[in-house]
Amino acid sequence: MNVLLEHPYIQKLLTLDLPRTDYVIAGSGPLFARGWIDDPGDIDVVARGAAWDIAQQLGETSQAPHSSVLQIELFDGAVEILNGWFPEVWSVDTLIDEADIIEGIRFVRLSVVATTKKRLQRERDLEHLRVMEKHGYQF
């Protein structure tokens, strides 16, 4: 098993048995999946359909901090499931259907990661943009 599948947050996510065609990992997850960072901090999961329906049965729904979407925090915030990801920019279907698949798990494309991190401009985001550039990502 590789480092990605061994990570406790990924293992927690997989225990939920969400249909893999109905969710995608966003945030820093795609950088972690590629081995570009050591720790994703948490796992941001964008869900639709059956995956969102299951998530709603598992925890309380609340307003996400940086957008108009809803979120459900599980495992003390280690896994956050959201019903959108900056919906003014992307639809959930686009994020999921155009995802990169790594070890059988969908991750948003690097262009989504870059756009999100440029938008948020937190110190961690700026560091991740530098990491992406170091690995040859062209902005």
Side-chain angles (χ1 to χ4, degrees):
M1 192 182 297
N2 79 11
V3 174
L4 172 64
L5 298 178
E6 291 174 2
H7 194 281
Y9 297 170
I10 296 293
Q11 289 184 347
K12 288 177 187 312
L13 170 62
L14 295 177
T15 67
L16 301 176
D17 286 327
L18 302 176
R20 291 197 185 186
T21 56
D22 277 346
Y23 74 87
V24 65
I25 296 177
S28 301
L31 303 182
F32 176 72
R34 287 170 170 80
W36 293 0
I37 60 172
D38 294 330
D39 185 8
D42 64 9
I43 299 293
D44 297 314
V45 179
V46 181
R48 67 178 173 196
W52 179 249
D53 293 342
I54 292 167
Q56 287 182 293
Q57 303 303 312
L58 301 174
E60 293 284 320
T61 303
S62 63
Q63 186 68 46
H66 301 288
S67 189
S68 62
V69 302
L70 299 175
Q71 71 177 7
I72 299 164
E73 290 189 13
L74 301 173
F75 306 108
D76 295 321
V79 177
E80 296 178 359
I81 302 179
L82 305 103
N83 70 347
W85 190 258
F86 298 90
E88 64 279 7
V89 182
W90 305 283
S91 74
V92 173
D93 290 336
T94 297
L95 293 172
I96 294 172
D97 296 340
E98 296 181 357
D100 294 325
I101 299 175
I102 302 171
E103 294 293 328
I105 301 170
R106 292 173 190 265
F107 292 85
V108 297
R109 291 181 177 232
L110 290 176
S111 60
V112 174
V113 176
T115 299
T116 301
K117 292 188 172 293
K118 284 181 185 178
R119 195 175 194 137
L120 293 174
Q121 293 283 311
R122 300 170 298 190
E123 185 54 42
R124 177 179 168 94
D125 300 315
L126 298 174
E127 175 60 29
H128 287 169
L129 289 168
R130 289 188 288 274
V131 166
M132 291 175 73
E133 188 173 31
K134 178 182 152 206
H135 283 91
Y137 182 79
Q138 300 290 318
F139 294 96

